[in-house]
Amino acid sequence: GDSVTQMEGPVTLSEEAFLTINCTYTATGYPSLFWYVQYPGEGLQLLLKATKADDKGSNKGFEATYRKETTSFHLEKGSVQVSDSAVYFCALSGGNQFYFGTGTSLTVIP
Amino acid sequence: DAGITQSPRHKVTETGTPVTLRCHQTENHRYMYWYRQDPGHGLRLIHYSYGVKDTDKGEVSDGYSVSRSKTEDFLLTLESATSSQTSVYFCAISSSGHDGNQPQHFGDGTRLSIL
């Protein structure tokens, strides 16, 4: 069945460092892909999305490209800030369910 | 932000008691979902609704029931709460089903503790 696998955390980076959080997926059809962010005590917030191969989603300096050939949707940011500290979830919409990864915790230190 | 309100935000109750959580939306979206979030498990789907009075089970539906009598309200009931149901519960809404390309939007969650 469909599934999403994202890199284990936690991830700790210094401010202004480059961020990559890996996400790969398995799907039988042509899913849409999403990244969500969750701050402490809050629900998941949509960060960006891509609905077809080669689409690039972007928001708040974060980017992810839908790569069908590698079944990946890695999240990147060129220069992280302390305020980016949160848990990030990769998700897939397809088949008969919405699938979420288990989340990657990011801590950015000054 | 999507208009989703979950109530209560926090609840502590005892084993064996019934508990009802409410999700209210102002977006007139057709699809509504209940998830639970637990460490090491990520988000797991409990039940979902694809219209008024139309609901279906998710992967962890045992011990839970739902009802949707109006578009805007989706209720989750624990008929007889157990300690294993201690969790954070999230409601989500979407304008398209899970095979569409629209995202789900989440409420702020209900933290439920069962002693």
Side-chain angles (χ1 to χ4, degrees):
Chain A
D2 294 4
S3 66
V4 172
T5 303
Q6 63 181 104
M7 65 184 284
E8 296 282 335
V11 175
T12 302
L13 295 173
S14 297
E15 203 165 24
E16 299 183 3
F18 185 86
L19 169 70
T20 299
I21 300 178
N22 290 337
C23 172
T24 57
Y25 68 90
T26 301
T28 53
Y30 301 94
S32 294
L33 300 173
F34 308 88
W35 276 101
Y36 285 84
V37 59
Q38 184 179 32
Y39 299 102
E42 298 183 11
L44 278 69
Q45 300 174 23
L46 179 67
L47 184 57
L48 53 85
K49 73 172 187 178
T51 58
K52 61 182 187 298
D54 300 325
D55 269 2
K56 176 184 283 188
S58 62
N59 185 27
K60 299 181 182 178
F62 291 90
E63 294 183 339
T65 301
Y66 188 161
R67 303 278 189 205
K68 191 170 185 293
E69 63 275 14
T70 55
T71 62
S72 65
F73 192 55
H74 304 322
L75 182 68
E76 297 181 335
K77 187 176 185 183
S79 176
V80 294
Q81 305 300 311
V82 171
S83 57
D84 294 326
S85 298
V87 180
Y88 293 82
F89 292 87
C90 185
L92 172 158
S93 174
N96 62 356
Q97 194 170 324
F98 218 84
Y99 299 88
F100 289 89
T102 52
T104 302
S105 175
L106 170 66
T107 300
V108 180
I109 54 177
Chain B
D1 289 344
I4 308 168
T5 304
Q6 291 188 233
S7 59
R9 292 294 315 281
H10 303 273
K11 187 172 182 67
V12 180
T13 190
E14 295 184 347
T15 300
T17 60
V19 178
T20 295
L21 308 183
R22 180 181 183 235
C23 177
H24 178 79
Q25 60 143 331
T26 58
E27 305 297 316
N28 201 35
H29 282 348
R30 178 180 176 188
Y31 297 88
M32 299 185 75
Y33 306 82
W34 278 108
Y35 291 90
R36 60 179 289 174
Q37 185 178 34
D38 304 288
H41 292 278
L43 284 165
R44 292 183 290 175
L45 182 65
I46 304 171
H47 282 280
Y48 65 96
S49 170
Y50 47 97
V52 174
K53 297 186 180 174
D54 291 323
T55 64
D56 206 350
K57 297 178 180 180
E59 65 177 305
V60 290
S61 60
D62 286 349
Y64 302 94
S65 63
V66 291
S67 65
R68 192 167 177 203
S69 58
K70 298 184 290 185
T71 298
E72 58 265 36
D73 289 326
F74 192 32
L75 304 181
L76 176 70
T77 298
L78 290 64
E79 302 288 351
S80 178
T82 68
S83 59
S84 65
Q85 294 175 310
T86 292
S87 186
V88 181
Y89 291 85
F90 287 100
C91 174
I93 65 174
S94 177
S95 58
S96 67
H98 25 253
D99 58 352
N101 61 9
Q102 296 303 311
Q104 293 185 2
H105 299 282
F106 286 79
D108 286 334
T110 294
R111 186 172 296 275
L112 178 62
S113 296
I114 300 164
L115 307 178

